[in-house]
C-alpha cells in the first residue's frame, strides 16, 4: 500500500457535491499530478464533516488545517501555497464570529467543541467506498467479538448499554432484539429503516453516504443476535448517492467474506439486499414500511402483533433506523458501561441533529444526551442569523412542537422534550427568529402532514385537513375566538384516536404554538393583524407622507396599477385593489413604504 506524506480530505456528501466538491477533487488530483506530487499527497473523498454552512470543506492531514467554503478556483492556491510551500491559505480558514480571528484547526471551533461523535465517528475521516479504510478504524472487529459470544450474551450487552431507538420512538434497542430473538420461526429478518422523510433532516442519509459499513456491520450483529439470515435496507429512491455507496459497501463486504455464508468461519450466514421507497413519510412507521417492502400500500396496522412477532412476509422482523445501527459496533468495542456513562439517566449516548433554519451554523451535529437547547443553538449553532432575536425551535420534525426561550435550558432527552410539548423525533431541529409567524409555521407543518397522511384512519385523514383549514382561515384574518377553542379540541381528539405515530403527533405544532404563542393567535383573530408581517392576506402597505418624495418607482412596478400620484408629489395606495405583492416595498429606496 502506498505511503503518503499528506492527505487532502474533501467532503463528498450530497450538500458539498451540489457545491462542486467533485470538481475540487478533480482539480486537486490534476494539480498534484502536474507538480509530480500525486505519489506523495493523497486526495480522499469522505463523508459529511457536518459543518454544512461552511462547505465545501478541505481538511489537510496531518496538520489538521480546516479550509472552508472552498471553490474549484481555490485549488491551485491550496496546492502551491500549502502543499508545496507549507504556508496556510489564511483567507480560506474559518473566522470566529466573536473574536474575528482565523481558526485553522476544527478542534478549536465552537461548532465542534461540544460535540461527541459516535454515530458519525467515521464521517469525514474515511473514504466510504473503500472497505480497507473502515477496517483500519476497527471496522468489523465488533462483529468478530460478537461471534465469540452466545446470542443472549450479545443481547444483554445491548440492553446494558441503554441504547434507545434513534428513529423517534425511543424504544430500548436491546429489548427489541430480545423480543425478536424469542420469536420462533424458520426465517427472520433484520430491517434497516432508511426512509428519512422529515423536512430538513439528513442524519441517516449522511451516515449512509459517509460510513455505510458501520450499518452493514451492525445489521449483521443484529442478525446473529436474533437468529436472522436476511437483512433488508428500506431506503428512499431520492437518495441516489447513499444508495450507490451502500451498494458498493455491500459488494465489498461480500468479497471480503463479511456477508454471505459462514462469515468469519462462524457458521453464521447473513446477507443484505436493498428495497426502495417512493418517498412516503408514513413509511417511516415500521408496519407501513414493511407493507411497502411487500409491495402493498404503505399503510400502518394496529399493533399487536408487533413486527418482532409477525413482520415482513409474516416472519419475525427487527426494525431499527440507520442512526441506531451506527451506534452498535462501537458499543461492543468499548463496552456498554462506556456508552451508558454518556448522556442522562433515561437517555444514554448521543443524538445526531440536523440543525437548520435561522441559525448561523447550519449543519449536522452529534451531541451527548442532556445537553441544553441553549448550548446547541447559541454555542454550537453560533446564534441567530443577522443578530435577530431567537423566537422558537422545533425539534422532532413536522410532528414535533415549537419550544420557546423559557425552554432553552431544558436538557435534551426523550422525556424532557415530550414534557415540554415537543419530541426527539428522528433529529430535525429548526430554529426560528422574531420574523417568523407561529400560526403560519403551524399551518406549514400541517400542509406537510395532510399531504403525507396515508388516509387509512379518519382522525388523521379528515382531522388534519380540518386543522389546516382552520389555520388557513386564521392566517387570512377570518378566524374567530371559537375557532381557537375548536383548534385545540380537534388537535387533542386527533392525538388520541389516530392509528399510527403520524396522526398521533401531527397536532404537536398546533398545540405547542397555541400554548406558547396564544397571544399571536389572538392578534390574528381579534385584530386581524400578523405581528410578523408574514401572512399575506393580513399585510397592508402604506406610503409615509413625510418620507415619500414622489420618485414614482413604486408606481412603475405595481402590477395592479393601484398607486396614484404625480411625479414629485405624495403617492397613495388604493387598499381595495392592492394584491399585497410587496413589489413597491422592495423597490422603494427611501423607506417610504411600511407594512402595517
Amino acid at each position: 500500500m502506498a505511503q503518503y506524506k499528506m492527505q487532502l480530505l474533501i467532503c463528498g456528501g450530497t450538500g458539498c457535491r451540489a457545491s462542486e466538491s467533485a470538481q475540487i477533487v478533480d482539480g486537486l488530483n490534476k494539480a498534484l499530478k502536474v507538480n509530480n506530487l500525486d505519489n506523495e499527497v493523497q486526495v480522499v473523498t469522505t463523508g459529511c464533516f457536518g459543518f454544512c454552512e461552511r462547505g465545501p470543506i478541505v481538511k489537510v492531514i496531518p496538520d489538521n488545517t480546516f479550509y472552508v467554503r472552498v471553490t474549484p478556483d481555490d485549488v491551485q492556491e491550496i496546492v502551491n501555497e500549502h502543499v508545496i510551500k507549507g504556508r496556510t491559505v489564511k483567507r480560506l480558514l474559518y473566522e470566529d464570529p466573536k473574536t474575528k480571528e482565523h481558526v485553522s484547526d476544527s478542534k478549536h471551533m465552537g461548532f465542534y467543541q461540544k460535540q461527541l461523535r459516535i454515530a458519525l465517528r467515521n464521517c469525514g475521516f474515511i473514504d466510504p467506498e473503500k472497505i480497507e479504510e473502515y477496517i483500519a478504524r476497527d471496522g468489523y472487529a465488533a462483529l468478530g467479538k460478537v461471534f465469540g459470544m452466545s446470542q443472549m450474551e450479545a443481547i444483554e450487552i445491548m440492553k446494558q448499554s441503554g441504547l434507545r431507538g434513534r428513529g423517534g420512538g425511543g424504544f430500548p434497542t436491546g429489548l427489541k432484539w430480545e423480543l425478536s430473538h424469542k420469536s420462533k420461526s424458520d426465517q427472520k429478518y433484520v430491517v434497516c429503516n432508511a426512509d428519512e422523510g422529515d423536512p430538513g433532516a439528513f442524519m441517516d442519509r449522511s451516515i449512509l453516504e459517509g460510513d455505510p459499513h458501520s450499518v452493514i456491520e451492525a445489521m449483521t450483529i443484529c442478525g446473529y443476535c436474533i437468529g436472522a439470515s436476511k437483512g433488508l435496507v428500506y431506503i428512499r429512491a431520492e437518495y441516489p448517492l447513499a444508495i450507490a455507496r451502500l451498494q458498493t459497501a455491500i459488494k465489498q463486504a461480500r468479497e471480503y467474506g463479511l456477508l454471505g455464508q459462514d462469515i468469519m468461519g462462524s457458521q453464521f450466514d447473513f446477507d443484505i439486499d436493498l428495497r426502495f421507497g417512493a418517498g412516503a413519510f408514513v413509511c417511516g412507521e415500521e408496519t407501513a414500511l414493511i407493507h411497502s417492502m411487500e409491495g402493498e400500500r404503505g399503510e400502518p396496522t394496529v399493533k399487536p402483533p408487533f413486527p418482532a412477532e409477525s413482520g415482513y412476509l409474516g416472519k419475525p422482523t427487527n426494525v431499527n433506523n440507520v442512526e441506531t445501527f451506527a451506534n452498535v459496533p462501537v458499543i461492543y468495542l468499548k463496552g456498554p458501561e462506556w456508552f451508558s456513562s454518556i448522556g442522562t439517566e433515561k437517555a444514554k449516548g448521543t443524538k445526531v441533529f440536523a440543525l437548520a433554519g435561522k441559525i448561523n451554523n447550519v449543519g449536522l451535529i452529534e451531541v451527548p444526551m442532556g445537553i441544553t437547547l441553549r448550548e446547541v443553538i447559541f454555542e454550537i449553532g453560533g446564534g441567530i442569523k443577522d443578530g435577530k432575536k431567537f423566537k422558537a425551535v422545533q425539534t422532532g420534525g413536522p410532528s414535533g412542537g415549537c419550544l420557546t426561550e423559557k425552554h432553552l435550558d431544558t436538557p435534551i432527552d426523550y422525556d424532557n422534550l415530550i414534557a415540554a410539548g415537543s419530541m426527539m423525533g428522528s433529529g430535525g431541529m429548526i430554529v426560528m427568529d422574531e420574523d417568523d409567524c407561529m400560526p403560519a409555521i403551524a399551518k406549514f407543518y400541517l400542509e406537510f402532514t395532510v399531504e403525507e397522511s396515508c388516509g387509512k384512519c379518519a382522525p388523521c385523514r379528515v382531522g388534519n385537513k380540518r386543522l389546516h383549514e382552520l389555520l388557513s382561515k386564521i392566517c387570512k384574518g377570518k378566524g374567530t375566538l371559537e375557532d381557537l377553542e375548536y383548534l385545540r379540541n380537534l388537535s387533542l381528539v386527533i392525538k388520541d384516536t389516530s392509528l399510527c405515530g403520524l396522526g398521533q403527533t401531527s397536532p404537536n405544532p398546533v398545540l405547542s404554538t397555541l400554548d406558547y404563542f396564544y397571544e399571536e393567535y389572538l392578534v390574528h383573530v381579534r385584530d386581524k393583524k400578523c405581528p410578523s408581517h408574514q401572512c399575506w392576506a393580513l399585510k397592508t402597505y402604506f406610503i409615509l407622507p413625510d418620507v415619500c418624495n414622489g420618485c414614482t418607482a413604486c408606481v412603475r412596478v405595481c402590477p395592479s396599477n393601484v398607486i396614484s400620484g404625480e411625479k414629485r408629489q405624495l403617492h397613495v395606495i388604493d387598499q381595495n385593489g392592492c394584491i399585497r405583492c410587496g413589489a413597491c416595498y422592495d423597490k422603494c429606496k427611501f423607506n417610504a413604504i411600511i407594512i402595517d
Side-chain angles (χ1 to χ4, degrees), residues 392-405:
V393 57
Q394 186 178 38
T395 64
S399 300
C402 295
L403 305 180
T404 67
E405 193 168 5

Side-chain angles (χ1 to χ4, degrees), residues 59 107 137 146 152 203 242 423 445 462 467 480 591:
K59 189 173 185 177
K107 293 177 182 177
R137 289 177 64 89
V146 168
M152 282 309 301
M203 299 78 64
M423 59 187 292
Y445 284 113
V462 182
L467 282 182
T480 65
N591 297 320

Side-chain angles (χ1 to χ4, degrees), residues 552-571:
T552 73
C554 58
V555 176
R556 294 194 298 270
V557 298
C558 178
S560 302
N561 298 315
V562 296
I563 302 178
S564 59
E566 298 296 326
K567 196 169 185 178
R568 295 190 178 86
Q569 293 181 5
L570 174 64
H571 288 54

Side-chain angles (χ1 to χ4, degrees), residues 105-228:
D105 191 334
S106 58
K107 293 177 182 177
H108 303 302
M109 295 178 187
F111 181 77
Y112 289 105
Q113 283 180 329
K114 290 205 169 185
Q115 291 195 50
L116 177 60
R117 292 163 74 91
I118 298 177
L120 299 176
R121 62 193 176 278
N122 291 324
C123 293
F125 289 94
I126 66 171
D127 184 338
E129 297 188 13
K130 292 184 178 178
I131 190 173
E132 299 85 359
E133 295 201 14
Y134 179 71
I135 291 173
R137 289 177 64 89
D138 296 325
Y140 292 101
L143 179 60
K145 190 174 182 179
V146 168
F147 283 154
M149 309 175 189
S150 69
Q151 291 173 312
M152 282 309 301
E153 285 175 338
I155 289 173
E156 191 59 32
I157 287 177
M158 190 53 54
K159 290 171 68 176
Q160 290 172 6
S161 73
L163 176 65
R164 294 172 63 176
R166 299 302 196 242
F171 192 82
T173 304
L175 180 57
K176 181 179 277 193
W177 289 16
E178 184 178 35
L179 294 172
S180 298
H181 168 79
K182 290 180 177 178
S183 295
K184 304 300 181 184
S185 177
D186 59 336
Q187 178 67 58
K188 296 182 182 180
Y189 295 94
V190 174
V191 172
C192 176
N193 180 355
D195 188 66
E196 185 176 50
D198 290 11
F202 51 100
M203 299 78 64
D204 293 351
R205 187 196 73 205
S206 294
I207 291 172
L208 290 175
E209 290 177 356
D211 191 18
H213 283 285
S214 67
V215 176
I216 293 171
E217 182 179 12
M219 290 179 67
T220 309
I221 290 171
C222 179
Y224 173 78
C225 289
I226 72 171

